[in-house]
Structure formats: structure tokens, C-alpha cells
Amino acid sequence: MNFTINDQHWLDKVKRVPSPFSDSRQDETDISLLVIHNISLPPGQFGGPYIEQLFTGLLDPDGHPYFREIHQLRVSAHCLIRRDGEVIQFVPFNARAWHAGVSEFAGREKCNDFSIGIELEGTDTLPYTPAQYDALRRLTRTLLARYPHLSRARITGHEFIAPGRKTDPGLAFDWRHYKTGLSD
């Protein structure tokens, strides 16, 4: 079963945790790129409230030594897919999430302006779960159906739009497995 997107560009029937780290797109109809990321907090650890806290500006710098380095970051993604396949949405798809940073795709800079960012709870080197691939495929099919400028050819990893700066989703991400069952 695919997801549904309502008129406010939120997914129905998923957890919503609105992030303050987003803003309006210059052109809401210019959604033409899907960027896959990974994140784990603390690095290499899964579960817990830390990703949600980071994306909402509530990460306690004393919660873990690594958090002292990142607690002031102003970052977000449109969605997070947990290890068990749960999808959490932080930013409506018609708004700009702050996930790509300095980036370029097909000669166009500032990918946040025209992309949707999906974070997978994971690392570059540990395999992603079947539940994550299933949820990501279902979410991708829903996005492809809703936003006409998206296509299979316009799905990429953070590592490819910010080479040398980012490495996610990494070698552990199986692109062929993910794209099985997606339509153009």
C-alpha cells in the first residue's frame, strides 16, 4: 500500500514532527529531485529521540559528547525512515527542507530549492533493513505520482550532489534493490 499526500503536502497517517528549519520554495511546482540520505545519532546507534530533536532544534548538547558538535545545526529533511520502516515527516513537501547544503545536480546548484530529502536511519556501512527499503519504495512511488517533475532518473544520493563533502547513503545502500518496482 502506498502513502497518500494531502492538500497541505503532508503524508496522511504518519507521525508529524514539524521542523522550524524549513522555509518556502521560490516555486512550489519545481519539485524535481529526490535525495536519499542517512543519519544515526549518536553515530552508529539507532533508536531514541535524537534525530527528531536535531531536526527540531531540541538536541541536548550534554546528552552525548558528539551532540556538543552538532546541537546548534539548523538542519531538517522532509522525512525520516526508521529501521523498522516507520516514516516521520518534518517538513511538508511543498516547502524547502534544509538537508542538502552546498550541492549541485545536473548543473543546477542549491538542491534544497527543488528537492525532497529523505533520511534513512542508518550508516554508510551497515545494511539497511527490508522494512526501510519497503517504506522508501512506497514513499517514492507516492512522490513520483504526485510531483510530475520527479522521475527515476532524478533520484540520487547525498554523496552524488555533494561529492567530497558527503558520503551518504553510502556503499551499504543497494540502489538496484531500491529501484526495483518503481515506475518512471
Short mmCIF file of all heavy atoms in Angstrom, two decimals, residues 3 5 21 23 37 44 50 56 97 102 121 130 132-133 137 140 153 163:
data_model
loop_
_atom_site.label_atom_id
_atom_site.label_comp_id
_atom_site.label_asym_id
_atom_site.label_seq_id
_atom_site.Cartn_x
_atom_site.Cartn_y
_atom_site.Cartn_z
N PHE A 3 1.51 5.47 0.25
CA PHE A 3 1.08 6.54 1.12
C PHE A 3 0.16 7.48 0.34
O PHE A 3 0.07 7.41 -0.89
CB PHE A 3 2.29 7.33 1.62
CG PHE A 3 3.23 6.52 2.46
CD1 PHE A 3 4.35 5.93 1.92
CD2 PHE A 3 2.99 6.34 3.81
CE1 PHE A 3 5.23 5.18 2.69
CE2 PHE A 3 3.86 5.60 4.61
CZ PHE A 3 4.97 5.02 4.04
N ILE A 5 -0.78 11.78 0.04
CA ILE A 5 -0.33 13.13 0.39
C ILE A 5 -1.55 14.04 0.34
O ILE A 5 -2.27 14.07 -0.66
CB ILE A 5 0.74 13.62 -0.61
CG1 ILE A 5 1.96 12.69 -0.60
CG2 ILE A 5 1.15 15.06 -0.29
CD1 ILE A 5 2.97 12.96 -1.69
N PHE A 21 13.23 24.32 10.85
CA PHE A 21 14.33 24.51 9.91
C PHE A 21 13.86 24.21 8.49
O PHE A 21 14.27 23.22 7.86
CB PHE A 21 15.52 23.65 10.31
CG PHE A 21 15.95 23.88 11.74
CD1 PHE A 21 16.20 22.81 12.58
CD2 PHE A 21 16.08 25.16 12.25
CE1 PHE A 21 16.59 23.02 13.89
CE2 PHE A 21 16.46 25.38 13.56
CZ PHE A 21 16.72 24.31 14.38
N ASP A 23 11.72 26.54 5.00
CA ASP A 23 11.15 27.79 4.53
C ASP A 23 10.44 27.55 3.21
O ASP A 23 10.38 26.42 2.72
CB ASP A 23 12.20 28.90 4.45
CG ASP A 23 13.39 28.56 3.57
OD1 ASP A 23 13.38 27.52 2.88
OD2 ASP A 23 14.35 29.35 3.56
N HIS A 37 19.42 10.19 1.94
CA HIS A 37 20.46 10.44 2.94
C HIS A 37 20.47 9.29 3.96
O HIS A 37 19.58 8.46 3.96
CB HIS A 37 20.14 11.70 3.75
CG HIS A 37 19.96 12.95 2.97
ND1 HIS A 37 20.96 13.87 2.82
CD2 HIS A 37 18.88 13.48 2.34
CE1 HIS A 37 20.52 14.91 2.13
NE2 HIS A 37 19.25 14.69 1.82
N GLY A 44 26.21 5.65 14.44
CA GLY A 44 26.23 4.20 14.53
C GLY A 44 25.23 3.60 15.50
O GLY A 44 25.17 2.39 15.66
N TYR A 50 16.84 11.27 19.26
CA TYR A 50 17.86 12.27 18.93
C TYR A 50 17.73 12.89 17.55
O TYR A 50 18.00 14.08 17.38
CB TYR A 50 19.25 11.69 19.15
CG TYR A 50 19.39 11.09 20.53
CD1 TYR A 50 19.64 9.73 20.69
CD2 TYR A 50 19.24 11.88 21.67
CE1 TYR A 50 19.74 9.18 21.96
CE2 TYR A 50 19.33 11.33 22.94
CZ TYR A 50 19.59 9.99 23.08
OH TYR A 50 19.68 9.43 24.33
N THR A 56 14.46 19.48 15.16
CA THR A 56 13.56 20.48 15.76
C THR A 56 14.32 21.47 16.66
O THR A 56 13.68 22.29 17.32
CB THR A 56 12.45 19.79 16.57
OG1 THR A 56 13.02 18.92 17.55
CG2 THR A 56 11.52 19.00 15.65
N ALA A 97 13.08 21.95 2.78
CA ALA A 97 13.79 21.43 3.95
C ALA A 97 15.28 21.75 3.77
O ALA A 97 15.76 21.94 2.65
CB ALA A 97 13.58 19.92 4.07
N VAL A 102 25.46 22.77 0.53
CA VAL A 102 26.11 23.13 -0.73
C VAL A 102 26.03 21.91 -1.64
O VAL A 102 26.55 20.84 -1.30
CB VAL A 102 27.57 23.56 -0.50
CG1 VAL A 102 28.26 23.85 -1.81
CG2 VAL A 102 27.62 24.77 0.43
N GLU A 121 17.41 6.00 8.64
CA GLU A 121 18.17 5.79 9.87
C GLU A 121 19.20 4.71 9.57
O GLU A 121 18.83 3.56 9.33
CB GLU A 121 17.25 5.38 11.01
CG GLU A 121 17.96 5.29 12.34
CD GLU A 121 17.03 4.97 13.48
OE1 GLU A 121 16.03 4.23 13.27
OE2 GLU A 121 17.29 5.43 14.59
N PRO A 130 15.03 -4.48 5.36
CA PRO A 130 13.96 -4.68 4.38
C PRO A 130 12.78 -3.74 4.61
O PRO A 130 12.18 -3.24 3.65
CB PRO A 130 13.56 -6.15 4.60
CG PRO A 130 14.81 -6.80 5.11
CD PRO A 130 15.46 -5.75 5.98
N GLN A 132 12.89 -0.72 5.71
CA GLN A 132 13.26 0.60 5.19
C GLN A 132 13.14 0.66 3.68
O GLN A 132 12.60 1.63 3.13
CB GLN A 132 14.69 0.98 5.62
CG GLN A 132 14.79 1.36 7.07
CD GLN A 132 16.21 1.70 7.46
OE1 GLN A 132 17.11 0.87 7.39
NE2 GLN A 132 16.41 2.94 7.88
N TYR A 133 13.63 -0.37 3.00
CA TYR A 133 13.51 -0.39 1.54
C TYR A 133 12.04 -0.41 1.12
O TYR A 133 11.64 0.29 0.18
CB TYR A 133 14.23 -1.59 0.93
CG TYR A 133 15.73 -1.43 0.86
CD1 TYR A 133 16.57 -2.18 1.68
CD2 TYR A 133 16.31 -0.54 -0.04
CE1 TYR A 133 17.95 -2.04 1.60
CE2 TYR A 133 17.69 -0.39 -0.11
CZ TYR A 133 18.50 -1.15 0.71
OH TYR A 133 19.87 -1.01 0.63
N ARG A 137 10.44 2.61 -0.99
CA ARG A 137 9.82 2.34 -2.30
C ARG A 137 8.39 2.87 -2.34
O ARG A 137 7.99 3.52 -3.31
CB ARG A 137 9.82 0.84 -2.59
CG ARG A 137 10.92 0.42 -3.49
CD ARG A 137 10.74 -1.03 -3.96
NE ARG A 137 11.94 -1.74 -3.61
CZ ARG A 137 12.09 -2.54 -2.57
NH1 ARG A 137 11.09 -2.81 -1.76
NH2 ARG A 137 13.24 -3.10 -2.34
N THR A 140 8.47 6.63 -2.38
CA THR A 140 8.94 7.11 -3.68
C THR A 140 7.84 7.00 -4.73
O THR A 140 7.63 7.95 -5.51
CB THR A 140 10.19 6.33 -4.12
OG1 THR A 140 11.22 6.49 -3.14
CG2 THR A 140 10.69 6.81 -5.48
N ALA A 153 15.11 8.88 -12.96
CA ALA A 153 16.39 9.48 -13.33
C ALA A 153 16.76 10.66 -12.44
O ALA A 153 17.91 11.10 -12.44
CB ALA A 153 16.36 9.92 -14.79
N PRO A 163 29.72 15.76 -3.65
CA PRO A 163 30.87 14.85 -3.63
C PRO A 163 32.06 15.48 -2.90
O PRO A 163 32.30 16.68 -3.00
CB PRO A 163 31.18 14.64 -5.11
CG PRO A 163 30.58 15.80 -5.82
CD PRO A 163 29.39 16.22 -5.01
#
